[in-house]
Amino acid sequence: MDNPPSTSKSMTPDSQPPIIHKKDLSFLDRIYIPQIVNGLRITITQIFRPKFTRQYPEERWTPPPSFRGRPVLVEQNGVERCVACGLCARVCPALAIEVQGSETELLKERYPVKFEINMLRCIFCGFCEEACPEEAIVMSQEYELTFTSQDDAVFGKEKLLMSVEKLRDRLEFLRKNR
Amino acid sequence: MAKITIDGKEFDADPKQTIIQAALDQGISIPHFCWHPKLSVAGNCRICLVEVEKMPKLAIACSTLVADGMIVKTESAKVVNAREAVMEFLLINHPLDCPICDEAGECKLQDYAYRLSVGVSRFDFNKVRKPKRVELGPNVTLDTERCIMCSRCIRFCDEIAKETQLVFTQRGDHVELTTFPGEALDNPYAMNTIDLCPVGALTSSDFRFKARVWEMSSTESVCQGCSRGCNTKMWVRNNEVLRLTPRFNASVNDYWMCDEGRLNTFKHVNAETRFKAPMIRKQQGLVEVGWDEAIARVVSELRSFKGHEIAAVASAFATNEDNYLFVKLMRHLGVGKVVYLPHVKRGDQDDILIREDKTPNSCGASAVGATALPEHGPLAGLLEEIQRGVIKALYVVDDDILTDPVAAEAFSRLDFVVAHASNDNGVSALADVILASSTYAERHGTMTNFQGRVQRIRPAVATAEQDRALDGFSMSRLDKFGSHNDRWMRGARRDARPTWRILANLAGVLGAKWKYATVEDVFAEMASTLPAFKGLSYQRVGSQGVVLPANQETPASVQR
Amino acid sequence: MELLIPVIKISVVLGVLLGVVAYTVLVERRVAAAIQNRVGPNRVGWNGLLQPLADVIKLVMKEDIVPKQANRFIHDLAPMISMAIALITFAVIPFGDSITLFGQAIKLQIASVNIGILYILAMTSLGVYGITLSGWSSNSKYSLLGGLRSSAQMLSYELAMGLSVIGVVMIAGSLELDKIVQTQHGWMWNILLQPVGFVTFVVASFAETNRHPFDLPEAEPELVGGYHTEYSGLKFGLFFLAEYTNMVTSSAVITTLFLGGWQIPYIGLAGLPAFWVSILQVLAFCVKVYLLVLFFIIIRWTIPRFRYDQLMNLGWKVMLPLSVLNLLVTGLVILYL
């Protein structure tokens, strides 16, 4: 005998909504009008409840550090931390990242001469951030992305670089939750 | 014969073999860094430790000879423990800079670290610092910190390249690989040390930081540098060849290839000088045209000449199929003799791999009916006939036959010159029609090396009319999942065609009823009509090639 | 002069009606938002008051797409039929008693037809053509199903609608709408005299206008957009406006038949000048109509859609017998009391 899957186990008969047969309904239930009146009462009272809407361009939301906004390259001392290892590009399930390495005189030997993220492909999963051995690509708190063409959506290094000070919250969050 | 048991599998082994070799022959791979089947045994990496019953201590499989009744365990607790210790030891001073290391992805140390290591180090002192980015020679860059002192490169230079250039200095964990004072790692086979190096200590200066290995697709091919025809792998990303590496073939090149072939036989594929489409010379110079127009022009011009007024030059760079169809087409036009120009560099030959004949297919060109021009003053007769006005048109396939200014002067007298060319060269500068032909990296076909061994080449770079997925190319992950609007799928593609197809198109317009859907059909026809190729097929050629029946009597030792 | 007055009446009524319809769209969106604790469109103009204008501009600027295999002529005709019928019905609604302007007594009704009710029933029956034809001519399965559902639904509920009106007609003794309003003076609104007739008529009105909970012809989860799936731009806009015009017209008819029309109970006791009384009566009519429109809107965001079999059951097995019974009782009461 196979054990029933756990989902069906948790659905005990008690937790299921009761089945109502038509013959069980009282006359008032069956003419339906009291139900309509009750429904109207609910909807009309809802009209006077406070609104949840955020008036977006004027009121903006500041995401918490756990938020995965658009991925950015961490800039420290004027250069990116990235060494163009390509692990972010390899792990990216949407193949959004393209990296081309080249040689630099800096101690890190290797740097990305080209680092492009196609923001139309990006799914904000944060795998790049997780795979990065240098803590060089992190998910920022920026969520406002608009483009007018497919080519505009490919962000190069100039758009991706962000100073380490601006990313302090996220970096701290990552270290705490490693 | 010695009867031995490895991991419970009992078999007979040659008593002159080591355990590691005997195991490998049975498909059991024992981890190894310093051991290589074609190099002498050094036994210094210790990762191949195995447990042999009745031996008091673990033995290294690479230098322990097989003995009758031997029982070997390669996965016992003792062995696993020993390997973990060896791995930890090897990693003590290794910088673990895989993110910037070009070897990452094809690194033995990386693979074994995942497979055999515990994943943590108990060593919390500073690692030993050694020189990095050392130019050992013109083509090889050394990162001394990454070296695990396996000495494969040193043994390769001593034993295979026969030039003693590399050596270890210092002692203990300060051992450094270096060249002898005043020497450089500049032997013609130096770059094989890069393939041999089990870590990222020796890396290619040419390929340095060009790509990560997992981004590329690899295609089996054959080197075009000389008539040896070393088996290679061609590594492509974004429709661009980035490097060549040797591919094992015991009868041709073993594990090796020369630096010349490795570096200088693929760069023209993506060069700026490539023709992007067929061209016709008009008043304003060469103009790109469509294939139909170019072929119609060639046909109408060729029809206006008599057979003996046309000089036909085949090529030792083209495939057997290309040359075969060229000869066939010229006979159809009534041209008596098809020649080809040999490219021989006298004296540039050794008894390792490099051959004087710098073309990959001169043997094949002769086999399909083209005649080699004399080696000295090769064009003399041809030029004289042009000057006399006997020859009025020239048809050149895939070769630059413009050897000297005299030839240029003579060629300019011709009424009509048509050339198949992939890149801008001397002949194409004079040609009236250029039929943009694909390079060896873009076509299927066979080459016959100096031993008479027929070997296949396969397309690795796509032309405008090819599709990597539909035409059976090997594909990287990027190729598989990319779409046309991804930047990494927009590598240059040229409207070039393989020579055999251009010739078949021409023949069709000329009225010959040739029916070749693929180049394999051409080869099948060759196998049935040419005695030299009798009974051959692409299946028989396979990935290791097959020797032409006529050359099979020659003993292998002479061929070396 | 005889020509000028009707022309002025028509232009005023048409203008007001279209304006109201346009803003009803906005009202619906704002009310829907409020019920769902949202804000709704508030960007175009002050508090979104120019939203209808923006909507119209958008609809006019959009490309008119006609399916390849569609019957082009009928495809173009259908939305016009829908809109025209919706507007025409309003012609017989009395929105006030009569007013004396510049010494001229003007009746506040475009056309005082002595068979007003029949006219309304006839026009609403014609309305089904617009929807059925649009469904058929689009040559799309969703449109066709939407059109079929609509014709079946309208036919079913027309019976109940017609029968429930007869009670009102019997009380008034006339088919003329003006007369019906006149009889509802004081407290004698038909909603009190004919409560069952009122309920059946309102329910039938919901069905006739294809409003929730009877909007099966355009049931989005099943039929994409129903009969107007293949419409875009201005033609879609016409259907959209027709739906809202129908809603306003239905409200006006219900007001006229059951809520005393322009009547304000016991206004005569206040002793106001006749002119002001007329103005107040027109206002009262407008307020009644708009409260009903709001009712239509709130119901949409309260009650889930019926299943098709439930709809048919309700129409044939409940509404029809109920209105017949109502008719019988009314007849008996009139006969014996």
Side-chain angles (χ1 to χ4, degrees), chain C residues 214-279:
Chain C
F214 304 118
D215 68 336
L216 286 115
E218 46 190 309
E220 296 89 356
E222 304 155 30
L223 297 181
V224 189
Y227 60 89
H228 60 60
T229 303
E230 304 294 347
Y231 281 86
S232 61
L234 197 54
K235 278 150 70 183
F236 169 77
L238 281 179
F239 273 126
F240 199 68
L241 280 185
E243 188 188 324
Y244 280 85
T245 313
N246 273 327
M247 200 162 87
V248 176
T249 313
S250 294
S251 300
V253 172
I254 296 170
T255 307
T256 308
L257 294 181
F258 292 97
L259 299 180
W262 41 261
Q263 294 273 17
I264 306 177
Y266 308 111
I267 185 124
L269 301 180
L272 287 166
F275 178 77
W276 286 110
V277 170
S278 300
I279 295 288

Side-chain angles (χ1 to χ4, degrees), chain C residues 42-57:
Chain C
N42 66 343
R43 292 278 150 183
V44 192
W46 182 77
N47 264 317
L49 279 182
L50 293 181
Q51 185 69 35
L53 189 71
D55 286 346
V56 167
I57 292 173

Side-chain angles (χ1 to χ4, degrees), chain C residues 61-115:
Chain C
M61 303 299 281
K62 274 196 167 180
E63 189 189 352
D64 175 33
I65 299 164
V66 181
K68 229 178 191 171
Q69 300 295 313
N71 186 325
R72 176 99 212 202
F73 175 70
I74 296 180
H75 196 263
D76 289 348
L77 188 67
M80 297 182 206
I81 295 178
S82 277
M83 191 64 198
I85 300 290
L87 289 173
I88 271 175
T89 318
F90 218 87
V92 296
I93 305 281
F95 46 89
D97 192 0
S98 60
I99 193 166
T100 317
L101 276 178
F102 314 112
Q104 187 111 25
I106 301 165
K107 195 124 186 52
L108 291 178
Q109 185 180 16
I110 292 172
S112 180
V113 189
N114 60 0
I115 50 155

